[in-house]
Coordinates of all heavy atoms in Angstrom, one line a residue:
M1 N 0.8 -1.2 0.0 CA 0.0 0.0 0.0 C 0.9 1.2 0.0 O 1.8 1.3 0.8 CB -0.9 -0.1 1.3 CG -1.6 1.2 1.6 SD -3.0 1.6 0.5 CE -3.4 3.3 1.1
L2 N 0.6 2.1 -0.9 CA 1.5 3.2 -1.1 C 0.8 4.4 -0.6 O -0.3 4.8 -0.9 CB 1.6 3.5 -2.6 CG 2.8 4.2 -3.2 CD1 4.1 3.5 -2.6 CD2 2.8 4.1 -4.7
V3 N 1.5 5.0 0.4 CA 1.0 6.3 1.0 C 1.7 7.5 0.5 O 2.8 7.6 0.6 CB 1.1 6.3 2.6 CG1 0.6 7.5 3.2 CG2 0.5 5.0 3.2
V4 N 1.0 8.3 -0.1 CA 1.7 9.4 -0.8 C 1.1 10.7 -0.4 O -0.1 11.0 -0.4 CB 1.5 9.3 -2.3 CG1 2.1 10.5 -3.0 CG2 2.1 8.0 -2.8
A5 N 1.9 11.6 0.1 CA 1.5 13.0 0.6 C 1.0 13.8 -0.6 O 1.6 13.6 -1.7 CB 2.6 13.7 1.3
T6 N 0.1 14.7 -0.5 CA -0.4 15.5 -1.6 C 0.3 16.8 -1.6 O 0.0 17.6 -2.4 CB -1.9 15.6 -1.4 OG1 -2.2 16.1 -0.1 CG2 -2.6 14.4 -1.7
S7 N 1.2 17.1 -0.7 CA 1.8 18.4 -0.7 C 2.7 18.7 -1.9 O 3.1 17.7 -2.6 CB 2.5 18.7 0.6 OG 3.5 17.6 0.6
A8 N 3.1 19.9 -2.1 CA 4.0 20.2 -3.2 C 5.3 19.5 -3.1 O 5.6 19.1 -2.0 CB 4.1 21.7 -3.3
Y9 N 6.1 19.4 -4.1 CA 7.4 18.7 -4.1 C 8.2 19.4 -3.1 O 8.4 20.6 -3.2 CB 8.1 18.8 -5.4 CG 7.4 18.4 -6.6 CD1 7.6 18.9 -7.8 CD2 6.3 17.3 -6.4 CE1 6.8 18.4 -8.9 CE2 5.6 16.9 -7.5 CZ 5.9 17.4 -8.8 OH 5.2 17.0 -9.9
A10 N 8.9 18.8 -2.3 CA 10.0 19.4 -1.5 C 11.2 18.4 -1.6 O 11.4 17.5 -0.9 CB 9.6 19.4 0.0
A11 N 11.8 18.6 -2.8 CA 12.9 17.7 -3.2 C 14.1 17.8 -2.2 O 14.5 18.9 -2.1 CB 13.2 17.9 -4.6
D12 N 14.5 16.7 -1.7 CA 15.7 16.6 -0.8 C 16.8 16.1 -1.7 O 16.9 14.9 -1.9 CB 15.3 15.8 0.3 CG 16.5 15.7 1.4 OD1 17.6 16.1 1.0 OD2 16.2 15.3 2.5
A13 N 17.5 17.0 -2.4 CA 18.5 16.6 -3.5 C 19.5 15.6 -2.9 O 19.7 14.6 -3.5 CB 19.1 17.8 -4.0
P14 N 20.3 15.9 -1.8 CA 21.3 14.9 -1.4 C 20.7 13.6 -1.2 O 21.2 12.6 -1.5 CB 21.9 15.6 -0.1 CG 21.6 17.0 -0.2 CD 20.2 17.1 -1.0
R15 N 19.5 13.6 -0.5 CA 18.9 12.3 -0.1 C 18.4 11.6 -1.4 O 18.5 10.3 -1.5 CB 17.7 12.4 0.8 CG 18.0 11.6 2.0 CD 16.9 11.6 3.1 NE 16.0 10.5 3.0 CZ 16.5 9.2 3.2 NH1 17.8 8.9 3.3 NH2 15.6 8.2 3.2
G16 N 17.7 12.3 -2.3 CA 17.3 11.8 -3.6 C 18.4 11.1 -4.3 O 18.3 9.9 -4.8
Q17 N 19.5 11.7 -4.4 CA 20.6 11.3 -5.1 C 21.2 10.0 -4.4 O 21.6 9.0 -5.2 CB 21.8 12.4 -5.2 CG 23.1 12.0 -5.7 CD 23.1 12.0 -7.3 OE1 23.2 13.2 -7.8 NE2 23.1 11.0 -7.9
S18 N 21.3 10.0 -3.1 CA 21.9 8.9 -2.5 C 21.0 7.6 -2.6 O 21.5 6.5 -2.7 CB 22.3 9.2 -1.1 OG 21.2 9.4 -0.2
I19 N 19.7 7.8 -2.6 CA 18.8 6.7 -2.8 C 18.9 6.2 -4.1 O 18.8 5.0 -4.3 CB 17.3 7.2 -2.4 CG1 17.1 7.6 -0.9 CG2 16.4 6.1 -2.8 CD1 15.9 8.2 -0.6
A20 N 19.0 7.1 -5.1 CA 19.2 6.6 -6.5 C 20.5 5.8 -6.6 O 20.5 4.8 -7.3 CB 19.2 7.8 -7.4
N21 N 21.5 6.3 -6.0 CA 22.8 5.5 -6.0 C 22.7 4.2 -5.2 O 23.1 3.1 -5.8 CB 23.9 6.3 -5.4 CG 24.3 7.6 -6.3 OD1 24.1 7.6 -7.4 ND2 24.9 8.6 -5.6
A22 N 22.1 4.2 -4.2 CA 22.0 3.0 -3.4 C 21.1 2.0 -4.0 O 21.2 0.7 -3.7 CB 21.5 3.4 -2.0
N23 N 20.2 2.3 -4.9 CA 19.3 1.3 -5.4 C 19.5 1.1 -7.0 O 18.7 0.6 -7.6 CB 17.8 1.8 -5.1 CG 17.4 1.7 -3.7 OD1 17.1 0.6 -3.2 ND2 17.5 2.8 -3.0
A24 N 20.7 1.5 -7.4 CA 21.1 1.2 -8.7 C 20.3 1.8 -9.8 O 20.3 1.3 -10.9 CB 21.1 -0.4 -8.9
C25 N 19.6 2.8 -9.5 CA 18.7 3.5 -10.5 C 19.8 4.1 -11.6 O 19.5 4.1 -12.7 CB 18.1 4.7 -9.9 SG 17.1 4.4 -8.3
M26 N 21.0 4.4 -11.0 CA 22.0 5.1 -12.0 C 22.5 4.1 -13.0 O 23.3 4.5 -13.9 CB 23.1 5.9 -11.2 CG 22.4 7.0 -10.2 SD 21.0 7.9 -10.6 CE 21.7 9.2 -11.6
G27 N 22.3 2.8 -12.7 CA 22.7 1.8 -13.7 C 21.9 1.9 -15.0 O 22.5 1.5 -16.0
C28 N 20.7 2.4 -14.9 CA 19.9 2.6 -16.1 C 19.5 3.9 -16.5 O 19.0 4.3 -17.5 CB 18.7 1.8 -15.9 SG 18.9 0.0 -15.9
H29 N 19.7 4.9 -15.5 CA 19.4 6.2 -15.7 C 20.5 7.2 -15.4 O 21.4 7.0 -14.5 CB 18.2 6.6 -14.7 CG 16.9 6.0 -15.0 ND1 16.1 6.3 -15.9 CD2 16.3 4.9 -14.3 CE1 15.0 5.6 -15.9 NE2 15.1 4.7 -14.9
A30 N 20.6 8.2 -16.2 CA 21.5 9.3 -16.0 C 20.8 10.6 -15.9 O 19.5 10.6 -16.2 CB 22.5 9.5 -17.1
V31 N 21.4 11.6 -15.2 CA 20.6 12.8 -15.0 C 20.2 13.5 -16.4 O 19.1 14.0 -16.5 CB 21.3 13.8 -14.1 CG1 20.7 15.2 -14.1 CG2 21.4 13.2 -12.7
N32 N 21.3 13.6 -17.2 CA 21.0 14.4 -18.4 C 21.2 13.7 -19.7 O 21.4 14.3 -20.8 CB 21.8 15.6 -18.4 CG 23.4 15.3 -18.2 OD1 23.7 14.1 -18.4 ND2 24.1 16.3 -17.9
R33 N 21.4 12.4 -19.8 CA 21.3 11.7 -21.1 C 20.6 10.4 -20.9 O 20.6 9.7 -19.9 CB 22.7 11.6 -21.6 CG 23.6 10.6 -20.8 CD 25.0 10.9 -21.0 NE 25.8 10.4 -19.9 CZ 26.2 9.1 -19.8 NH1 26.0 8.3 -20.9 NH2 26.7 8.6 -18.8
K34 N 20.1 9.9 -22.1 CA 19.4 8.5 -22.1 C 20.4 7.4 -21.9 O 21.4 7.4 -22.5 CB 18.7 8.5 -23.4 CG 17.8 7.2 -23.5 CD 17.1 7.3 -24.9 CE 16.1 6.1 -24.9 NZ 16.6 4.7 -24.6
L35 N 20.1 6.5 -21.0 CA 20.9 5.2 -20.9 C 19.9 4.1 -21.4 O 19.4 4.2 -22.5 CB 21.4 5.1 -19.5 CG 22.5 6.0 -19.0 CD1 22.9 5.7 -17.6 CD2 23.8 6.0 -19.9
V36 N 19.7 3.2 -20.4 CA 18.7 2.1 -20.7 C 17.3 2.8 -20.6 O 16.4 2.5 -21.4 CB 18.8 1.0 -19.7 CG1 17.8 0.0 -20.0 CG2 20.1 0.4 -19.8
G37 N 17.1 3.6 -19.6 CA 15.9 4.4 -19.4 C 16.1 5.8 -19.8 O 17.2 6.3 -20.0
P38 N 15.0 6.6 -19.7 CA 15.1 8.1 -20.1 C 15.9 8.8 -19.0 O 16.0 8.3 -17.9 CB 13.6 8.4 -20.0 CG 13.0 7.4 -19.1 CD 13.7 6.1 -19.4
S39 N 16.5 9.9 -19.3 CA 17.3 10.7 -18.4 C 16.3 11.3 -17.4 O 15.1 11.5 -17.6 CB 18.0 11.8 -19.1 OG 17.2 12.9 -19.4
F40 N 16.7 11.6 -16.2 CA 15.9 12.1 -15.2 C 15.3 13.5 -15.6 O 14.2 13.9 -15.2 CB 16.6 12.1 -13.8 CG 16.7 10.7 -13.1 CD1 17.7 10.5 -12.2 CD2 15.8 9.7 -13.5 CE1 17.7 9.2 -11.6 CE2 15.8 8.5 -12.9 CZ 16.9 8.2 -11.9
Q41 N 16.2 14.3 -16.3 CA 15.7 15.5 -16.7 C 14.6 15.4 -17.8 O 13.6 16.2 -17.8 CB 16.9 16.4 -17.3 CG 17.8 16.9 -16.2 CD 19.0 17.6 -16.7 OE1 19.3 17.6 -17.9 NE2 19.8 18.2 -15.7
Q42 N 14.6 14.4 -18.7 CA 13.5 14.1 -19.6 C 12.3 13.8 -18.9 O 11.2 14.2 -19.3 CB 13.9 12.9 -20.5 CG 14.8 13.1 -21.7 CD 15.0 11.8 -22.4 OE1 15.7 10.9 -21.9 NE2 14.4 11.6 -23.6
I43 N 12.4 13.0 -17.8 CA 11.3 12.6 -17.1 C 10.7 13.8 -16.4 O 9.4 14.0 -16.5 CB 11.6 11.5 -16.0 CG1 12.1 10.2 -16.7 CG2 10.5 11.2 -15.1 CD1 12.7 9.2 -15.7
A44 N 11.5 14.7 -15.8 CA 11.0 15.9 -15.2 C 10.3 16.8 -16.2 O 9.1 17.3 -15.9 CB 12.1 16.7 -14.5
A45 N 10.8 16.9 -17.4 CA 10.2 17.7 -18.4 C 8.8 17.2 -18.8 O 7.8 17.8 -19.0 CB 11.0 17.8 -19.7
K46 N 8.8 15.8 -19.0 CA 7.5 15.2 -19.5 C 6.4 15.4 -18.5 O 5.2 15.5 -18.9 CB 7.8 13.6 -19.6 CG 6.6 12.9 -20.1 CD 6.9 11.4 -20.4 CE 5.8 10.5 -20.7 NZ 5.3 10.8 -22.1
Y47 N 6.7 15.3 -17.2 CA 5.6 15.3 -16.2 C 5.5 16.6 -15.5 O 4.7 16.8 -14.5 CB 5.9 14.2 -15.2 CG 5.7 12.9 -15.8 CD1 6.8 12.1 -16.1 CD2 4.4 12.3 -16.0 CE1 6.7 10.8 -16.7 CE2 4.3 11.0 -16.5 CZ 5.4 10.3 -16.9 OH 5.3 9.1 -17.4
K48 N 6.1 17.8 -16.1 CA 6.0 19.1 -15.5 C 4.6 19.4 -15.5 O 3.8 19.3 -16.4 CB 6.8 20.0 -16.5 CG 7.1 21.4 -15.9 CD 8.1 22.1 -16.7 CE 8.7 23.2 -16.0 NZ 8.1 24.4 -15.8
G49 N 4.1 19.9 -14.2 CA 2.8 20.4 -14.1 C 1.7 19.2 -13.9 O 0.6 19.5 -13.9
D50 N 2.2 18.0 -13.9 CA 1.2 16.9 -13.7 C 1.1 16.6 -12.2 O 2.0 16.0 -11.7 CB 1.8 15.7 -14.6 CG 0.9 14.5 -14.4 OD1 -0.1 14.4 -13.6 OD2 1.1 13.5 -15.3
A51 N 0.0 16.9 -11.7 CA -0.2 16.7 -10.2 C -0.3 15.3 -9.9 O 0.0 14.9 -8.7 CB -1.5 17.5 -9.8
Q52 N -0.6 14.5 -10.8 CA -0.6 13.0 -10.5 C 0.7 12.3 -10.6 O 0.8 11.2 -10.2 CB -1.6 12.3 -11.5 CG -3.0 12.8 -11.5 CD -3.6 12.7 -10.2 OE1 -3.4 11.6 -9.5 NE2 -4.1 13.7 -9.6
A53 N 1.7 13.1 -11.2 CA 3.0 12.4 -11.4 C 3.7 11.7 -10.3 O 4.1 10.6 -10.3 CB 3.9 13.4 -12.2
P54 N 3.7 12.4 -9.2 CA 4.4 11.8 -8.0 C 3.9 10.4 -7.6 O 4.5 9.5 -7.4 CB 4.2 12.8 -6.9 CG 4.0 14.1 -7.6 CD 3.3 13.8 -8.8
T55 N 2.6 10.4 -7.6 CA 1.8 9.1 -7.2 C 2.0 8.1 -8.3 O 2.4 6.9 -8.0 CB 0.3 9.3 -7.1 OG1 0.1 10.5 -6.3 CG2 -0.4 8.1 -6.5
K56 N 1.9 8.5 -9.6 CA 1.9 7.5 -10.7 C 3.3 7.0 -10.8 O 3.6 5.8 -11.0 CB 1.6 8.4 -11.9 CG 1.0 7.6 -13.0 CD 0.3 8.6 -14.0 CE 1.0 9.8 -14.6 NZ 0.3 10.6 -15.4
L57 N 4.3 7.9 -10.7 CA 5.7 7.4 -10.9 C 6.2 6.6 -9.6 O 7.0 5.7 -9.8 CB 6.6 8.6 -11.2 CG 6.3 9.3 -12.5 CD1 7.3 10.4 -12.7 CD2 6.2 8.4 -13.6
A58 N 5.8 6.9 -8.5 CA 6.1 6.1 -7.3 C 5.6 4.7 -7.5 O 6.3 3.7 -7.3 CB 5.6 6.7 -6.1
R59 N 4.4 4.5 -8.1 CA 3.9 3.3 -8.3 C 4.6 2.5 -9.4 O 4.9 1.4 -9.3 CB 2.4 3.3 -8.7 CG 1.6 2.0 -8.6 CD 0.1 2.0 -8.9 NE -0.5 2.9 -8.0 CZ -1.2 4.0 -8.4 NH1 -1.5 4.3 -9.7 NH2 -1.8 4.8 -7.5
K60 N 5.0 3.3 -10.4 CA 5.8 2.7 -11.5 C 7.2 2.2 -11.0 O 7.6 1.1 -11.5 CB 5.9 3.8 -12.6 CG 6.9 3.4 -13.7 CD 6.2 2.6 -14.7 CE 6.9 2.6 -16.1 NZ 6.2 3.0 -17.2
V61 N 7.8 2.9 -10.2 CA 9.2 2.5 -9.7 C 8.9 1.2 -8.9 O 9.7 0.3 -9.0 CB 9.8 3.6 -8.9 CG1 11.1 3.1 -8.1 CG2 10.3 4.8 -9.8
K62 N 7.9 1.2 -8.0 CA 7.7 0.0 -7.2 C 7.4 -1.2 -8.0 O 8.0 -2.3 -7.7 CB 6.6 0.4 -6.1 CG 6.3 -0.7 -5.2 CD 6.5 -0.2 -3.8 CE 6.5 -1.4 -2.7 NZ 6.9 -0.9 -1.4
D63 N 6.5 -1.1 -8.9 CA 6.0 -2.2 -9.7 C 6.6 -2.5 -10.9 O 6.5 -3.6 -11.6 CB 4.5 -2.1 -10.0 CG 3.6 -2.0 -8.6 OD1 4.1 -2.5 -7.6 OD2 2.5 -1.5 -8.7
G64 N 7.4 -1.6 -11.5 CA 8.1 -1.6 -12.8 C 7.1 -1.6 -13.9 O 5.9 -1.3 -13.7
G65 N 7.5 -1.6 -15.1 CA 6.6 -1.5 -16.2 C 7.3 -1.0 -17.5 O 8.5 -0.5 -17.4
S66 N 6.6 -0.9 -18.6 CA 7.2 -0.4 -19.8 C 6.0 0.3 -20.6 O 4.9 0.3 -20.2 CB 7.7 -1.6 -20.7 OG 6.6 -2.4 -21.0
G67 N 6.4 0.8 -21.8 CA 5.4 1.3 -22.7 C 5.4 2.8 -22.7 O 4.7 3.3 -23.6
V68 N 5.8 3.5 -21.7 CA 5.8 4.9 -21.7 C 6.8 5.6 -22.6 O 6.6 6.4 -23.4 CB 5.8 5.6 -20.4 CG1 5.8 7.0 -20.3 CG2 4.6 5.0 -19.6
W69 N 8.1 4.9 -22.5 CA 9.3 5.6 -23.2 C 9.8 4.6 -24.3 O 10.6 4.9 -25.0 CB 10.4 5.8 -22.3 CG 10.0 6.8 -21.2 CD1 9.4 6.6 -20.0 CD2 10.2 8.3 -21.2 NE1 9.2 7.8 -19.4 CE2 9.7 8.8 -20.1 CE3 10.8 9.2 -22.2 CZ2 9.8 10.2 -19.8 CZ3 10.9 10.5 -21.9 CH2 10.4 11.0 -20.7
G70 N 9.2 3.4 -24.4 CA 9.6 2.4 -25.3 C 9.3 1.0 -24.8 O 8.5 0.9 -23.9
M71 N 9.8 0.0 -25.4 CA 9.5 -1.3 -25.0 C 10.3 -1.9 -23.9 O 10.1 -3.0 -23.4 CB 9.5 -2.2 -26.2 CG 8.4 -1.9 -27.3 SD 6.8 -1.5 -26.5 CE 6.5 -3.1 -25.8
I72 N 11.4 -1.3 -23.6 CA 12.3 -1.8 -22.6 C 11.7 -1.6 -21.2 O 11.2 -0.5 -20.9 CB 13.7 -1.1 -22.5 CG1 14.3 -1.1 -23.9 CG2 14.6 -1.7 -21.4 CD1 15.6 -0.3 -24.0
P73 N 11.5 -2.6 -20.4 CA 10.8 -2.5 -19.2 C 11.7 -2.0 -18.0 O 12.9 -2.3 -18.0 CB 10.3 -3.9 -18.8 CG 11.2 -4.9 -19.5 CD 11.8 -4.1 -20.8
M74 N 11.2 -1.3 -17.0 CA 11.9 -1.0 -15.8 C 11.5 -2.1 -14.8 O 10.3 -2.4 -14.7 CB 11.6 0.3 -15.2 CG 12.2 0.6 -13.9 SD 12.3 2.3 -13.3 CE 10.6 2.8 -13.3
P75 N 12.4 -2.7 -14.2 CA 12.2 -3.7 -13.2 C 11.5 -3.2 -12.0 O 11.6 -2.0 -11.7 CB 13.5 -4.3 -12.8 CG 14.6 -3.2 -13.1 CD 13.9 -2.4 -14.2
A76 N 10.8 -4.0 -11.2 CA 10.1 -3.6 -10.1 C 11.1 -3.4 -8.9 O 12.2 -3.9 -9.0 CB 9.0 -4.7 -9.6
H77 N 10.8 -2.5 -7.9 CA 11.7 -2.3 -6.8 C 10.8 -2.5 -5.5 O 10.6 -1.6 -4.7 CB 12.2 -0.8 -6.9 CG 13.2 -0.6 -8.0 ND1 12.6 -0.2 -9.3 CD2 14.4 -0.8 -8.1 CE1 13.7 -0.1 -10.1 NE2 14.8 -0.5 -9.4
Q78 N 10.3 -3.8 -5.4 CA 9.5 -4.1 -4.3 C 10.2 -4.0 -2.9 O 9.4 -3.8 -1.9 CB 9.0 -5.5 -4.4 CG 8.1 -5.8 -5.6 CD 6.8 -5.1 -5.6 OE1 6.3 -4.7 -4.6 NE2 6.2 -4.9 -6.8
S79 N 11.5 -4.1 -2.8 CA 12.1 -4.0 -1.5 C 12.3 -2.6 -1.0 O 12.7 -2.4 0.1 CB 13.4 -4.8 -1.6 OG 14.3 -4.2 -2.5
M80 N 12.1 -1.6 -1.9 CA 12.4 -0.2 -1.5 C 11.2 0.2 -0.6 O 10.0 -0.2 -0.9 CB 12.5 0.7 -2.7 CG 13.8 0.6 -3.4 SD 13.9 1.7 -4.8 CE 14.0 3.3 -4.1
S81 N 11.4 1.1 0.5 CA 10.4 1.6 1.2 C 9.6 2.7 0.4 O 10.2 3.3 -0.5 CB 10.9 2.2 2.5 OG 11.6 3.5 2.2
D82 N 8.3 2.8 0.7 CA 7.5 3.8 0.0 C 8.2 5.2 0.2 O 8.1 6.1 -0.7 CB 6.1 3.8 0.5 CG 5.4 2.6 0.1 OD1 5.8 1.8 -0.9 OD2 4.2 2.3 0.6
A83 N 8.7 5.5 1.5 CA 9.3 6.8 1.7 C 10.5 7.0 0.8 O 10.7 8.1 0.3 CB 9.6 6.8 3.1
D84 N 11.4 6.0 0.7 CA 12.5 6.2 -0.2 C 12.1 6.3 -1.6 O 12.6 7.2 -2.3 CB 13.4 4.9 -0.1 CG 14.3 4.9 1.1 OD1 14.2 5.9 1.9 OD2 15.2 4.1 1.2
I85 N 11.1 5.7 -2.1 CA 10.6 5.8 -3.4 C 10.1 7.2 -3.6 O 10.4 7.9 -4.6 CB 9.6 4.8 -3.8 CG1 10.2 3.4 -3.9 CG2 8.9 5.1 -5.1 CD1 9.3 2.2 -4.2
R86 N 9.3 7.7 -2.7 CA 8.7 9.0 -2.8 C 9.8 10.1 -2.8 O 9.7 11.1 -3.6 CB 7.8 9.3 -1.6 CG 7.1 10.5 -1.7 CD 6.4 10.8 -2.9 NE 6.1 12.1 -3.1 CZ 4.8 12.7 -3.1 NH1 3.8 11.9 -3.0 NH2 4.6 13.9 -3.2
T87 N 10.8 9.8 -2.0 CA 12.0 10.9 -2.1 C 12.7 10.9 -3.3 O 13.0 12.0 -3.9 CB 13.0 10.6 -0.9 OG1 12.2 10.6 0.4 CG2 14.0 11.6 -0.8
V88 N 13.0 9.8 -3.9 CA 13.8 9.7 -5.1 C 12.9 10.2 -6.2 O 13.3 10.9 -7.2 CB 14.4 8.3 -5.3 CG1 13.4 7.2 -5.8 CG2 15.5 8.5 -6.3
V89 N 11.6 9.9 -6.3 CA 10.7 10.4 -7.4 C 10.6 11.9 -7.3 O 10.6 12.6 -8.4 CB 9.3 9.7 -7.3 CG1 8.3 10.4 -8.1 CG2 9.5 8.3 -7.8
D90 N 10.5 12.5 -6.1 CA 10.4 13.9 -5.9 C 11.6 14.5 -6.6 O 11.6 15.6 -7.2 CB 10.2 14.4 -4.6 CG 8.8 14.2 -4.0 OD1 7.9 13.9 -4.9 OD2 8.6 14.3 -2.8
W91 N 12.8 13.9 -6.2 CA 14.1 14.5 -6.8 C 14.1 14.4 -8.2 O 14.6 15.3 -8.9 CB 15.2 13.6 -6.1 CG 16.6 13.9 -6.6 CD1 17.2 15.1 -6.4 CD2 17.4 13.1 -7.4 NE1 18.5 15.1 -7.0 CE2 18.6 13.8 -7.6 CE3 17.3 11.8 -7.9 CZ2 19.7 13.3 -8.3 CZ3 18.3 11.2 -8.6 CH2 19.5 12.0 -8.8
V92 N 13.7 13.3 -8.8 CA 13.6 13.1 -10.3 C 12.7 14.2 -10.9 O 13.1 14.9 -11.9 CB 13.1 11.7 -10.7 CG1 12.9 11.7 -12.2 CG2 14.2 10.7 -10.3
L93 N 11.5 14.3 -10.3 CA 10.6 15.4 -10.8 C 11.1 16.8 -10.7 O 10.6 17.7 -11.4 CB 9.3 15.1 -10.2 CG 8.5 13.9 -10.7 CD1 7.3 13.7 -9.8 CD2 8.1 14.0 -12.2
A94 N 12.0 17.0 -9.7 CA 12.6 18.3 -9.6 C 13.8 18.5 -10.6 O 14.4 19.6 -10.6 CB 13.1 18.5 -8.2
G95 N 14.0 17.6 -11.5 CA 15.0 17.7 -12.5 C 16.4 17.1 -12.0 O 17.4 17.4 -12.5
A96 N 16.3 16.3 -10.9 CA 17.5 15.6 -10.3 C 18.6 16.7 -10.1 O 19.8 16.4 -10.6 CB 17.9 14.5 -11.3
P97 N 18.4 17.7 -9.3 CA 19.4 18.7 -8.9 C 20.5 18.2 -8.2 O 20.3 17.2 -7.4 CB 18.6 19.8 -8.2 CG 17.5 19.0 -7.6 CD 17.1 18.0 -8.6
E98 N 21.7 18.8 -8.3 CA 22.9 18.2 -7.6 C 22.7 18.6 -6.2 O 23.3 18.0 -5.2 CB 24.2 18.7 -8.2 CG 24.6 17.8 -9.3 CD 25.9 18.5 -10.0 OE1 26.8 18.8 -9.2 OE2 25.9 18.5 -11.2
K99 N 22.1 19.8 -5.9 CA 21.9 20.2 -4.5 C 20.8 21.1 -4.3 O 20.2 21.5 -5.3 CB 23.2 20.8 -3.8 CG 23.9 21.8 -4.8 CD 25.1 22.4 -4.0 CE 26.1 23.1 -4.9 NZ 27.1 22.7 -5.6
Ligands
HEC1 C1 17.2 -2.1 -15.4 C2 17.1 -0.7 -15.8 C3 16.5 0.2 -14.8 C4 16.6 0.4 -13.4 C5 17.5 -0.4 -12.5 C6 15.8 1.6 -13.1 N1 15.1 2.0 -14.1 FE1 13.7 3.5 -14.2 N2 13.2 3.1 -16.1 C7 13.9 2.2 -16.9 C8 13.2 2.1 -18.2 C9 13.6 1.2 -19.4 C10 12.2 3.1 -18.2 C11 11.2 3.3 -19.2 C12 9.9 2.6 -18.9 C13 8.7 2.9 -19.9 O1 9.0 3.1 -21.1 O2 7.6 2.7 -19.4 C14 12.3 3.7 -16.9 C15 11.4 4.7 -16.4 C16 11.5 5.4 -15.2 C17 10.7 6.5 -14.8 C18 9.6 7.1 -15.6 C19 8.4 6.2 -15.7 C20 7.3 6.6 -16.6 O3 6.2 5.9 -16.5 O4 7.4 7.7 -17.2 C21 11.1 6.8 -13.5 C22 10.5 8.0 -12.7 C23 12.1 6.0 -13.2 N3 12.4 5.1 -14.2 C24 12.9 6.0 -12.0 C25 13.8 5.1 -11.6 C26 14.2 5.0 -10.2 C27 14.0 6.0 -9.1 C28 15.0 3.9 -10.1 C29 15.8 3.3 -9.0 C30 15.0 2.9 -7.7 C31 15.1 3.3 -11.5 N4 14.2 4.0 -12.3 C32 15.7 2.1 -11.9 C33 15.0 1.4 -16.5 C34 15.5 1.2 -15.3

């Protein structure tokens, strides 16, 4: 069960970055260029102004899936806590700032 706050993004950049590093997100994603998956800046641009994006993308990271950016699937991340997923998704949606 995913509990998602409805407040505006409060991206915690150092924590978002370290969660991304710790969970191998950076093996498939880079901040500013496409790797296996879209760059975090592309993702931020695509969902800019989409109030549903934090909820939608948190679920996508948790359960995995494909078809939005191409046919390559993102694996599920069932062992991550909802809080960590939410922090890293907020950071991605903020454009993955360095600080
Ligand atoms: C094995 C490679 C891989 C790993 C590891 C991975 N991703 Fe992805 N990610 C992808 C691919 C491929 C896509 C595009 C999926 C699609 O087209 O629907 C994607 C898409 C996304 C999206 C956009 C989803 C959408 O529906 O627009 C977000 C956000 C995201 N990844 C975040 C993360 C985070 C955070 C992590 C680490 C917890 C992570 N990814 C780990 C491959 C990966």
Side-chain angles (χ1 to χ4, degrees):
M1 166 75 191
L2 205 55
V3 182
V4 176
T6 50
S7 58
Y9 311 149
D12 183 340
R15 232 181 108 55
Q17 175 84 72
S18 70
I19 291 169
N21 289 338
N23 290 280
C25 310
M26 307 320 278
C28 290
H29 294 282
V31 169
N32 57 11
R33 70 202 157 86
K34 186 179 183 307
L35 292 180
V36 179
S39 78
F40 285 157
Q41 287 176 352
Q42 279 179 290
I43 295 170
K46 179 179 176 71
Y47 293 100
K48 197 168 196 283
D50 180 347
Q52 299 305 312
T55 311
K56 211 160 52 184
L57 296 184
R59 193 175 305 128
K60 170 84 163 237
V61 170
K62 185 118 186 170
D63 295 340
S66 65
V68 176
W69 298 86
M71 292 320 294
I72 306 171
M74 174 160 62
H77 295 87
Q78 298 289 345
S79 62
M80 285 178 75
S81 74
D82 290 346
D84 277 3
I85 291 179
R86 180 54 195 247
T87 301
V88 76
V89 164
D90 282 351
W91 174 70
V92 169
L93 287 171
E98 274 175 47
K99 45 179 161 283

